Amino acid sequence: MHFKLFLFIFFFSILSIQGQNTYVKTEHGLKAEIDSLVIELQFYTSKNVRVLKSKKGFDFEKNSLSVIAEPKQIEFKIIDADAHTVTISSDDLIVALDLVSGVVSFQDIKGTSLLKEKSNGSHLDPKMDVNEPSFRVKQEFQLDKDEFIYGLGQFQEGKMSQRNQKLFMRQDNKETVVPIIQSNKGYGVFWDNYAPTTFYDNPEVTSFDSEVGELIDYYFMYGKNADGVVKQIRTLTGEAPMMPYWTFGYWQSKERYESQEETVGVVKKYRDLGVPIDGVIQDWQYWGDNYNWNGMTFGNPEFPDPEKLTKEIHDLNAHIIISVWASFGPETTPFKTLKDKNMLLDFTTYPERAVNYWPAKPDDPLAGVKVYDAYNPEARDIYWDYLNKGIFSKGVDGWWLDSTEPDHLDIKDKDFDTQTHLGSFRKVRNAFPLMTVGGVYKHQRETTSDKRVFILTRSAFAGQQRYAANSWSGDIVSNWKTLENQISAGLNFVSAGIPYWNTDIGGFFAWEYPEGIKNPSFQELYVRWLQYGAFTPMMRSHGTTTPREIYQLGERGDWNFDAVEKFINLRYRLLPYIYSESWQVTSNASTLMRPLFMDFSEDTKALDLNDEFMFGKSILVAPVTEAMYTEGKNDSLATFDKTGSRKLYLPASTEWFDFWTGEKFNGGQEIEKEVPIDIMPLYVKAGSILPLGPKVQYANEKLGPIEIRIYPGADAHFTYYDDERDNYNYEEGAYATIEFTWDDSKNKLTVSDRKGDFKGLPKNIEFKILKVQDKNSSGIYPSTTKTNFLYTGKSKTLRIK
């Protein structure tokens, strides 16, 4: 959509207030000239308002890279509120513009204040961006002093609320920029600028300050609650498609498997052990040396037959994704093609040196690797053409798009002068991951609908959820503080509207543990990290130098092996719950990994907790983030002569059941839970229905029987979802749902008629109904009532005492 902000729309009636600036009613709102500024308010929906502020006479076009929605035709009213204020209102919002100061403020339809710009808080300071006239762009807001805000992407400082800090937001290995905040007051703001930006907050002011831009451009999104805000984010920037079912299983990776025999062998060993696995990841250098970096061919002689590689993995009922980068070595065909078309960016990226080891030495020869211009649609076409012919056609199931921020070594200001298809690199820096990930998604969708796109990627920008992307937290270090910081990093990331996120289980760099996997201290850290990883959207073990495969830990009967196997099996039992919740992500703009403010916004004690979260809307997860059975050192031993414990908070307004014991607790209190090495605190909210699948070796092995756990104490509802699991037929209605409804006062469970159909839908499913109750007369947890029945697709009501 194009905006010529220096023009007025003359075919609308011009309204004026005596002695004040004029404004013009437009198709979607209004436009006003105030001193040197042109200010426009546009309703995209009744809950979404775009605010644009530009300099008079400045001619430009702004095509949003993130927003794909067009403004809808909605009813709105314009009222001259007083001598210098005009308001524009929809069914949900009142937006006021001060025609003297240019300050914009937002209220709900009842007149309750939500957000207000700060007086004199709009700044467009002229500057040259290379040879283009531009501005330093800044907007200041005034938040309530007791307000909490979340989002901004992934920053690993361990903070939940993003108040009272300064963040320099430029894409980096472990920092992901998504310039969206949402407030516990039920609104969000998307700062639509792609340049490096400083976010600043203190009790007096909250601001976004971008290095370059044509205008101030942001969206105010009113959702009333956190899920509503996320819905508005996705209304603007795109919905999240369904991930393949198998991606929710367990993933094993290492930097790196050095031959196709080794890669296949990992899956074989898991199958031999009877430990579930669904995916293995092939990291870099299957292409050969660094001069052939990311050549999109299997140039390494240790990978002589890629079709055989993928076939053998598929024959083991597993899947493979493969590392692909946004850069190319000088001996590769893609490099030469892109160079001839001037589609390579001129700055130093990884790997800087030609050697296949890290760290390289200063006198090692340069590799000559360059990043491609992902902002150029023709370059994205070329990228996919080589990717499709060289890798996708070999049967690979998905993509590990590494370095999508991208790596920028030895940063110099002149690097940002580099020209891209959309202007200077400075102008569009933070949108690079959106461009390159989007190119792969769009091209694969055009190539086939028989295989769902799945992309694991190291960086993201606003709107990337529409590209089937699951971001991970970068090359983090293996230690307890880093593990703790992952929790709030991931929760703030998903608060910006992108639901799929994960982390290297165990941390990437294990250099604090030279003995690695053989060291009990690292093993304890790894076990706790894996327990946490079982409750993130992708359960993926990965790291360098220190292998992470379960058989490296020891053997069955060893504390470390058994604890890891227990949680891998638990992950698989939870797949029906996870997949049904992922359908809510797609169909209702929900979020799978949920900060507590999403579900307990009235509980002030829950608003700034950075060490626990909800997984789906039923399970409270409290990861263990400190050593209890070793000293946390490289030379320590594991001792289990006493059991450690972990304090956690149970949010108010509900009761909670200990997942492991069935013991019931009142919410609104802190409790202490014993945590032997094979237990991480999990609590299920009263009024929950939790489906658990059978024990399997891979996700699609068998459907049932399905255990339906009822956690009483309140009425409950759950939508059980299934489809063909690895194509896009669900977009045409090829899926089925079953509604489970629990009437707590009548102890009655109603299972609805099945709605919908798809190829391969089983006619019958065995359901095992289990009602979890408080302790019985003997003091044993849990006391349960069990009822089994064969579901044939027809409604059934059961009374369960």
Side-chain angles (χ1 to χ4, degrees), residues 264-327:
V264 175
V266 171
V267 182
K268 286 181 177 178
K269 288 179 182 178
Y270 272 84
R271 291 285 179 257
D272 291 344
L273 285 168
V275 177
I277 190 171
D278 259 88
V280 65
I281 303 176
Q282 180 57 55
D283 206 343
W284 59 4
Q285 296 181 7
Y286 60 88
W287 49 67
D289 64 27
N290 286 356
Y291 293 120
N292 288 285
W293 182 267
N294 193 43
M296 295 182 172
T297 59
F298 290 82
N300 187 328
E302 295 298 325
F303 295 85
D305 193 341
E307 288 94 342
K308 181 181 178 183
L309 166 67
T310 57
K311 182 180 185 302
E312 288 183 337
I313 289 172
H314 293 160
D315 288 345
L316 290 165
N317 296 299
H319 298 80
I320 181 171
I321 67 174
I322 196 163
S323 173
V324 183
W325 288 58
S327 54

Side-chain angles (χ1 to χ4, degrees), residues 513-534:
Y513 301 91
E515 294 179 4
I517 196 70
K518 302 304 180 185
N519 180 351
S521 289
F522 180 80
Q523 292 173 355
E524 183 181 11
L525 173 66
Y526 181 74
V527 166
R528 294 307 194 187
W529 209 314
L530 183 132
Q531 291 170 352
Y532 162 62

Side-chain angles (χ1 to χ4, degrees), residues 414-465:
K414 68 179 181 62
D415 293 348
F416 297 98
D417 292 345
T418 297
Q419 290 299 298
T420 77
H421 182 73
L422 296 178
S424 75
F425 187 46
R426 180 182 297 104
K427 177 181 176 182
V428 291
R429 170 70 182 93
N430 285 335
F432 188 93
L434 182 70
M435 297 292 97
T436 188
V437 170
V440 173
Y441 175 84
K442 290 178 179 178
H443 282 97
Q444 185 176 324
R445 286 299 309 262
E446 291 168 358
T447 302
T448 178
S449 291
D450 294 334
K451 180 182 289 189
R452 289 182 196 169
V453 182
F454 178 69
I455 297 172
L456 173 65
T457 181
R458 199 170 73 184
S459 194
F461 192 75
Q464 203 156 303
Q465 72 280 351

Side-chain angles (χ1 to χ4, degrees), residues 281-401:
I281 303 176
Q282 180 57 55
D283 206 343
W284 59 4
Q285 296 181 7
Y286 60 88
W287 49 67
D289 64 27
N290 286 356
Y291 293 120
N292 288 285
W293 182 267
N294 193 43
M296 295 182 172
T297 59
F298 290 82
N300 187 328
E302 295 298 325
F303 295 85
D305 193 341
E307 288 94 342
K308 181 181 178 183
L309 166 67
T310 57
K311 182 180 185 302
E312 288 183 337
I313 289 172
H314 293 160
D315 288 345
L316 290 165
N317 296 299
H319 298 80
I320 181 171
I321 67 174
I322 196 163
S323 173
V324 183
W325 288 58
S327 54
F328 297 95
E331 296 300 319
T332 65
T333 305
F335 182 102
K336 296 171 183 176
T337 302
L338 292 162
K339 183 180 180 181
D340 287 345
K341 293 178 174 288
N342 196 30
M343 294 178 184
L344 295 173
L345 303 182
D346 188 20
F347 56 82
T348 304
T349 191
Y350 186 86
E352 184 177 8
R353 302 289 169 174
V355 293
N356 277 351
Y357 55 78
W358 187 90
K361 300 174 184 177
D363 56 348
D364 286 329
L366 294 172
V369 173
K370 294 296 180 185
V371 172
Y372 86 111
D373 185 359
Y375 307 98
N376 189 320
E378 185 182 355
R380 296 194 297 269
D381 291 344
I382 293 168
Y383 188 94
W384 172 256
D385 186 52
Y386 287 109
L387 189 62
N388 183 29
K389 292 176 182 177
I391 299 179
F392 191 55
S393 64
K394 311 302 182 186
V396 169
D397 299 298
W399 310 108
W400 182 8
L401 300 187

Side-chain angles (χ1 to χ4, degrees), residues 146-151 158-163 182-186 226 488 491-492 495 594-612 649-652:
D146 59 352
E147 189 173 349
F148 296 86
I149 57 172
Y150 314 91
K159 289 176 63 69
M160 191 59 242
S161 174
Q162 300 285 34
R163 296 302 304 268
Q182 65 162 300
S183 165
N184 65 309
K185 294 172 66 175
S488 56
L491 295 176
N492 273 298
S495 296
R594 304 173 62 81
L596 294 186
F597 81 89
M598 282 191 162
D599 299 294
F600 306 100
S601 60
E602 300 301 316
D603 185 351
T604 56
K605 293 181 179 179
L607 296 182
D608 200 20
L609 289 180
N610 66 349
D611 61 352
E612 52 189 88
Y649 179 72
L650 296 175

Side-chain angles (χ1 to χ4, degrees), residues 47-65:
K47 297 179 180 179
N48 260 319
V49 179
R50 186 182 188 185
V51 178
L52 308 98
K53 298 186 177 185
S54 62
K55 285 288 188 179
K56 289 182 184 177
F58 183 70
D59 186 5
F60 67 92
E61 290 185 356
K62 171 68 182 288
N63 297 296
S64 180
L65 302 178

